[in-house]
Amino acid sequence: MKLDQEKLPIIYEALKKNQVDAWLITGRESIMKSEPILPVLGDMDFIIATTLIFTADERCLAIVSPLDVEGYKLIEGIDEVYEYATTMEETIHEVLSTLKPKKLALNYSSGDASADGLTVGMYMMLEKVFERLDYKIETVSAFPIISEVRGRKTSSQIAKIKHCAIVADEYLRRVPEICKKGTTSLDIFNFLHEVAYNDGYGMSWADSQCPGVSVDPNVPAGHMGIIETPIVPGYLINIDYGVSKDGYCSDLQRMYYVLKDDEEDAPEHVKQAFYLVRDAVHEAKEFMRAGVTGFEVDQIARHKIVDYGYDSWNAALGHQVGHQTHDGGTLLANRRPRYNRTELIDTPLQVGNVFTIEPSINIPEGRIGIEEDVVITDNGTEWLVEPQRELILIKL
């Protein structure tokens, strides 16, 4: 096991920025009950009940079982290792009694899954510890810390996400190769599985639902698994797809139009809607930079589409991506009830954040949804892969 040394400065900076004295991460066997932050911290697992404590004075403490103590002593970045001879609860009490943190961050959040790894049982254990302390301790959500630690990707992490985006885009551009009369959405689904698996890649989310392939507007779409439906001339095809490698992943959507026998190009109104979505993506990307909020970015794209007369799509403009497809933290979203939280949409974006941008429009020929992956840099925002600029035409 190891701690990611590039993440340690981000952790300690986030603690100081949020005026938190210590961040406590505790859990049982993580293979049984995952703590979402552990893979972000490095190659970390809790083999037996374990606690990590990061402090604002830049120390990392580990409270571990007798079976794990020697292994944790070998991890670079862990400064002190405490072996619990009786119970972890008792040793946590001893360590906190020495540290005396006034403000302690714990992994709970009502609005973000990536910051909600603390189980009810472990929280009940910590409550007993806090009751026995001889001083008052204030517990707060670790969401702001996790949002930075998870969201501020390092250069090596960005390179891995970018690689996954480039590979996924290459596979998506090969889809017309397999399309002929009688080809179905399941054929496309299986093709995108096969090329990725053959090259040693996995899917970005559940294999049964990645990719999402919509070939007929009369068939329900969304995160529901594949429905075998023949492709139809005159309809759009939308594919939502990403591949994973070495713990990182991408998330793209590409648009295709199936030509009728007498067509050489898509109808003008279809292209017009496609170009509007494309331009909304580009304008949001050009506006996007460190210091603006996700709400502000969302409004750029949303007004571009709504002001043209189309309905506002019932989703966020974009989410963070990298460790997972939906990577938690801040969002690019409007003030719909499920997004309208200051920590999600009104917190300034940061250098190193990797986001999707994915507005959409529904027209009779299908849903137009383009999804691009971008990273915020010191100089603005960059594409991770060349964006889709024209409809991909399919001639059966």
Side-chain angles (χ1 to χ4, degrees):
M1 294 195 297
K2 64 180 180 179
L3 275 174
D4 186 340
Q5 300 302 300
E6 292 182 303
K7 286 294 185 184
L8 290 176
I10 298 174
I11 292 172
Y12 297 129
E13 182 183 331
L15 287 171
K16 295 168 188 173
K17 176 181 175 180
N18 290 282
Q19 298 181 319
V20 170
D21 299 309
W23 174 27
L24 187 150
I25 305 164
T26 190
R28 300 187 180 90
E29 294 87 340
S30 51
I31 195 169
M32 179 73 72
K33 184 65 176 178
S34 174
E35 164 50 85
I37 196 60
L38 291 182
V40 178
L41 297 180
D43 179 19
M44 297 291 295
D45 279 301
F46 290 165
I47 306 302
I48 301 175
T50 301
T51 296
L52 297 176
I53 302 176
F54 295 93
T55 67
D57 61 358
E58 301 192 7
R59 287 185 295 157
C60 177
L61 291 63
I63 300 171
V64 301
S65 76
L67 294 177
D68 295 331
V69 63
E70 296 304 322
Y72 273 83
K73 287 179 180 179
L74 298 175
I75 299 176
E76 183 181 357
I78 294 182
D79 303 289
E80 300 173 45
V81 179
Y82 296 86
E83 174 186 346
Y84 56 84
T86 54
T87 66
M88 185 171 67
E89 177 182 336
E90 189 62 37
T91 307
I92 293 173
H93 179 269
E94 293 171 5
V95 172
L96 291 181
S97 295
T98 301
L99 291 177
K100 294 190 181 300
K102 294 180 180 178
K103 185 180 286 188
L104 182 69
L106 301 176
N107 290 2
Y108 64 85
S109 171
S110 61
D112 184 71
S114 71
D116 200 30
L118 180 62
T119 66
V120 173
M122 298 306 277
Y123 180 71
M124 292 170 65
M125 178 271 290
L126 289 175
E127 281 190 314
K128 294 178 182 178
V129 172
F130 301 152
E131 289 172 1
R132 294 173 52 207
L133 292 173
D134 60 3
Y135 69 97
K136 181 68 174 178
I137 193 167
E138 177 188 359
T139 59
V140 296
S141 169
F143 171 82
I145 298 166
I146 292 173
S147 183
E148 293 203 28
V149 173
R150 191 180 189 96
R152 290 171 56 187
K153 271 66 174 183
T154 65
S155 58
S156 62
Q157 292 173 332
I158 292 167
K160 291 177 181 179
I161 301 166
K162 181 175 183 175
H163 175 77
C164 289
I166 291 171
V167 169
D169 183 67
E170 290 175 352
Y171 294 156
L172 285 164
R173 293 184 182 278
R174 290 176 54 189
V175 165
E177 299 173 11
I178 68 160
C179 292
K180 57 186 184 294
K181 291 183 179 180
T183 297
T184 70
S185 54
L186 182 60
D187 294 325
I188 296 172
F189 178 91
N190 288 335
F191 167 76
L192 289 171
H193 272 203
E194 181 180 1
V195 290
Y197 296 152
N198 286 346
D199 289 343
Y201 296 91
M203 297 297 101
S204 286
W205 56 97
D207 289 12
S208 63
Q209 298 191 21
C210 179
V213 184
S214 177
V215 302
D216 186 331
N218 300 304
V219 175
H223 296 286
M224 56 182 290
I226 199 69
I227 295 177
E228 186 170 12
T229 308
I231 60 177
V232 180
Y235 281 169
L236 291 158
I237 297 176
N238 169 271
I239 304 177
D240 189 352
Y241 179 62
V243 300
S244 62
K245 184 82 168 179
D246 298 330
Y248 297 90
C249 64
S250 57
D251 188 12
L252 300 172
Q253 287 181 54
R254 292 291 178 255
M255 291 303 310
Y256 312 75
Y257 177 75
V258 184
L259 294 164
K260 297 178 181 179
D261 290 340
D262 60 349
E263 289 180 324
E264 296 297 326
D265 198 359
E268 284 302 314
H269 73 279
V270 172
K271 293 195 293 183
Q272 181 186 72
F274 171 85
Y275 291 141
L276 184 60
V277 173
R278 179 200 66 183
D279 292 347
V281 171
H282 284 241
E283 290 183 21
K285 180 259 185 186
E286 288 303 308
F287 174 81
M288 194 173 177
R289 60 192 181 277
V292 304
T293 68
F295 173 74
E296 291 171 329
V297 178
D298 176 278
Q299 293 303 286
I300 296 294
R302 202 169 296 271
H303 280 297
K304 177 79 174 179
I305 287 172
V306 172
D307 291 351
Y308 205 87
Y310 290 98
D311 291 336
S312 176
W313 64 96
N314 186 26
L317 172 65
H319 54 80
Q320 294 192 51
V321 62
H323 302 288
Q324 301 288 339
T325 314
H326 292 174
D327 214 22
T330 50
L331 293 168
L332 315 178
N334 62 352
R335 300 205 180 278
R336 293 175 189 269
R338 68 179 182 269
Y339 305 129
N340 194 15
R341 302 178 184 218
T342 294
E343 68 272 23
L344 295 181
I345 65 173
D346 295 321
T347 299
L349 308 181
Q350 295 182 300
V351 171
N353 288 165
V354 178
F355 276 96
T356 66
I357 305 178
E358 46 179 313
S360 64
I361 288 175
N362 288 310
I363 61 175
E365 289 79 6
R367 185 180 75 89
I368 297 176
I370 305 171
E371 184 174 13
E372 305 292 354
D373 295 344
V374 300
V375 59
I376 300 177
T377 71
D378 291 322
N379 301 314
T381 301
E382 297 178 359
W383 307 110
L384 288 189
V385 65
E386 184 66 19
Q388 181 175 5
R389 301 181 188 276
E390 298 290 340
L391 274 168
I392 300 171
L393 302 178
I394 295 176
K395 187 76 171 179
L396 300 184

